[in-house]
Amino acid sequence: MFDAFRKAPSVRRMARAMLAVDAWVNASLYESGRKARARYDAFSAFMDRFHVSGPTRGVVALACEGLTLGFFGAMLMLALAIPAFRETSDDWLKKQELAVTFLDRYGVEVGRRGIRHDDSIPLDALPDHLIKAVLATEDRRFYEHFGIDVIGTLRAVTVNARSSGVVQGGSSITQQLAKNLFLSNERTLERKVKEAFLALWLEFHLSKKEILKLYLDRAYMGGGAFGVQAAAEFYFGKSARDLTLAESAMLAGLFKAPTRYAPHINLPAARGRANVVLDNMVQAGFMSEGQIYAARRNPATAVDRKQEASPDWYLDWAFQEIKQLAERRKLGDDRVLTVRTALDMGVEQRAQQAIEDNLRQYGPQYQAKQSATVVIETATGAVRAIVGGRDYGASQFNRAVDALRQPGSSFKPYVYLAALMSGKFRPSTIVVDSPVCIGNWCPKNYGGSYGGSVPLAVALAKSYNTVAVKLTTAVGDGNPRAGRARVVETARRMGVTAPLNDTVSLPIGAAEVTLLEHSAAYAVFGNGGRRVEPHAAIEIRNSRGDVIWRHDRDGAQPQQAFPPGVIAEMNSMLVKVVEEGTARRAILGPDIKVGGKTGTTNGYKDAWFCGFTGNYTGCVWYGNDDDSPMNNMTGGTLPAQTWRDIMAYAHQGVELRPLPGAPVDPTKTPSIATLSGPGGARIVEITAQRPTTLSRRSAEALAEIESTMREATKPTDASPKTGPQGRSGFLDPARRAPRGGEAPGRITRLSDGSVTVAAEGGGVIRIDGGTLTNVR
């Protein structure tokens, strides 16, 4: 049967076909092998032509290794360059950047940001000695290098090594421009790598002349001035076209340290630095000793601006706010804007002075080098002051807005609020301060002791760490992780957007926050539970003077986030922290209730005090940029003291608002002093308030008071008094005040027939039947 199957015609055909396939495969493999051998032999014969021996062989081997290393080096350089090039954009020259003029809350110009489109001076119009002074000091080989001055960098490294310090800088003008255009001022290796690649990118896209022009226009020159033109106007009151050699040398010396050598702050240091610049010009061969002799004998003198202060950190943050509004298409297409902000220059300057005074006096003792603060209007979130560090000229990094720091125990109010919201706790609830562990983590109190059974309010006033951890666990119904999630949710509802990473130590302040958000969150306590959005802009006008944005109409308004009753209970505890607990140095006096919380992190790396009244809220932070520990500084020492110094000034001359939940003594009334006013009129003044002063426009307003009073007493007159410029209620339309504040000189007739006149510093004088009353 099997033989019959094999002899079948179909089987024989299949067998022959398979044999044919097998033969084809064998032949193909053999032929492929033969051709491969032939090609290999041909390749070997070709390579034999390049065969070397002896010393030449070693050179070839090194060249091959060099090529290999070069290839991988190129790949590494490309990997490093890609993040740098991502910093560029279609509008990397910032041709569409905003040009913003900022006004304070009273309508007084306080600074500018962005590009001033209408005052650019061509490079050819600048004095030759100014260009030479800058090149001799900042980059003598500017026209010779490719963006990175290798020779200059090696020379700077050598000189600095010999001097055991930084004497010369190694960055070229192109590298400095790259930093100004694309990068921040942080001193990191990543930034230096990006700076180098972006310098090469700039050299490829721009000519040397364009790079130099941009550098002279964008560099910070101190005093809030950016670029040589703004600096010439600020320091010398003239155009950069008209600068003398001595003035040019003084300006060229500002690029290295604009605040240290600012002539309106330290004229001797500025003149000394200008002499160094003149020496550089001689050494570079740009000028002879004879040419600079007159400049040495007659050094430049700057315009006296010692009393002027620029709120640079505030303006930087406000400018970012305006740019975000523009990106969201809220401001139309106009790029030239005037912004009235909530800035109070009095409070801003007082905050700067308080930080400087405390750091100068106590900084060495505590080994503290930096501080920052924010002052916010409690009811609205309007930011009155921002100080982002000790010296803006030395470092423009805004520690109040951009730095993420551990808040320590100042984070605990979020924990206690979550506990009250759970309904399980009241300020009088007894809690036990005793050892507690979550896994292997066992927190201890400051000082190492325990308080035993105490009311919840006392636990917060004494800042017991163990109680905060136990509260978190209780809020989570025995689950610490669930409790921490509720604490984070509470902080989010108060306005904190920082990551707040979930760790076991989160309840005692291990998660990092920014000072600005922390301050805005504390305002929720002071205003009865409403979340506020910290903001600078009150009113924005375009180049034609039209109002295109108002915060009360277009901005985020306060939203009720927590029940007022719960907030009142929180405040009753937070007031005890100040009056009986760790923050006694923040007490403002018997008539102003203050609530707040101190914070100190492990190793004394951060010290905080965050406090609030019915009027203002703010946080103060002390620490070091390099995260080095301070010398036993706690939040109840210098931070609370600085907060008091600032807020004592801020609360002068304002109508005190009650603090929700704070106990009020009905027997206490503000002390009143009776003084004689003009014409025998009686002036009633609350002595606890800031003395109110009249500006020039306010003084001019007094001349109108008599006629205004006559008009006010006429029942048939329904129209408001019109000032001399034709604007109702304003003596000067340029002084129109933002909503929530009056411009000095504004006259307002009230429904009861009395008249108020706005005064400098936020005060308001009320005229009623011949009596002048300082009411705010």
Side-chain angles (χ1 to χ4, degrees), residues 476-543:
D477 297 325
N479 185 335
R481 183 181 296 273
R484 293 194 297 270
R486 293 191 178 181
V487 171
V488 171
E489 179 188 358
T490 300
R492 296 278 184 251
R493 291 173 61 184
M494 299 180 74
V496 178
T497 63
L500 299 181
N501 297 324
D502 183 17
T503 62
V504 290
S505 54
L506 179 141
I508 59 175
E512 297 174 331
V513 297
T514 67
L515 193 144
L516 178 65
E517 286 189 351
H518 209 30
S519 301
Y522 266 70
V524 174
F525 298 125
N527 63 31
R530 291 177 297 162
R531 171 178 172 170
V532 295
E533 188 75 22
H535 60 276
I538 300 299
E539 182 181 88
I540 303 176
R541 295 176 181 267
N542 59 21
S543 58

Side-chain angles (χ1 to χ4, degrees), residues 176-251:
Q176 294 179 55
L177 177 62
K179 183 191 72 171
N180 293 339
L181 285 177
F182 304 111
L183 304 174
S184 67
N185 289 287
E186 60 179 345
R187 296 183 177 181
T188 63
L189 179 61
E190 179 185 6
R191 197 216 76 187
K192 293 297 293 183
V193 170
K194 287 184 176 181
E195 180 183 287
F197 280 110
L198 288 170
L200 299 177
W201 191 88
L202 285 172
E203 291 278 347
F204 178 78
H205 285 82
L206 298 176
S207 66
K208 288 288 188 179
K209 182 177 179 180
E210 291 172 323
I211 290 173
L212 182 58
K213 179 63 172 65
L214 280 172
Y215 176 72
L216 294 174
D217 284 345
R218 303 298 179 88
Y220 180 66
M221 307 290 285
F226 287 81
V228 294
Q229 170 62 13
E233 292 179 349
F234 181 78
Y235 293 119
F236 305 116
K238 63 173 66 174
S239 169
R241 292 184 175 94
D242 304 322
L243 291 173
T244 65
L245 174 58
E247 292 166 345
S248 296
M250 189 171 284
L251 283 189

